[in-house]
Amino acid sequence: MQKAKGFTKSRTGTYVSMAATAFGAIGVAKQARKARLEHDTLRLIDAAVSAAAIVTGLAILYRELKRLGDDDVLLG
C-alpha cells in the first residue's frame, strides 16, 4: 500500500500523466478545427492557449521523468 501512495512520483505514474495530458490534445484539435470552420476567433485563441498549456505540461512531465532517474518508487 505504501508503494501505491508514491505512484504519481514513479516513472509509470509520470508516463500515465503524460498520456493523459497528450490525450487532451485531441479535444483541443477538435476545438481548433471547429473554430476555424465557424471563423470564431475567440475559440481559436482559446484553443491556442490550451495547446500551449498542453505543451508546457508535457515539458514539465518530461523534465520530471528525467529527474526521477534510478530512484523510482515502484522499483524499490
Side-chain angles (χ1 to χ4, degrees), residues 11-71:
R11 281 186 169 274
T12 307
T14 304
Y15 283 130
V16 169
S17 295
M18 288 177 81
T21 303
F23 188 70
I26 296 170
V28 172
K30 287 181 183 179
Q31 180 183 3
R33 187 179 314 121
K34 185 178 178 183
R36 275 184 280 172
L37 290 174
E38 296 176 357
H39 302 292
D40 190 345
T41 306
L42 191 58
R43 281 192 181 172
L44 194 57
I45 291 170
D46 183 45
V49 170
S50 297
I54 287 172
V55 169
T56 305
L58 285 173
I60 290 170
L61 288 168
Y62 180 74
R63 181 181 67 188
E64 189 66 29
L65 189 63
K66 289 293 199 179
R67 283 185 182 170
L68 280 176
D70 294 330
D71 58 337

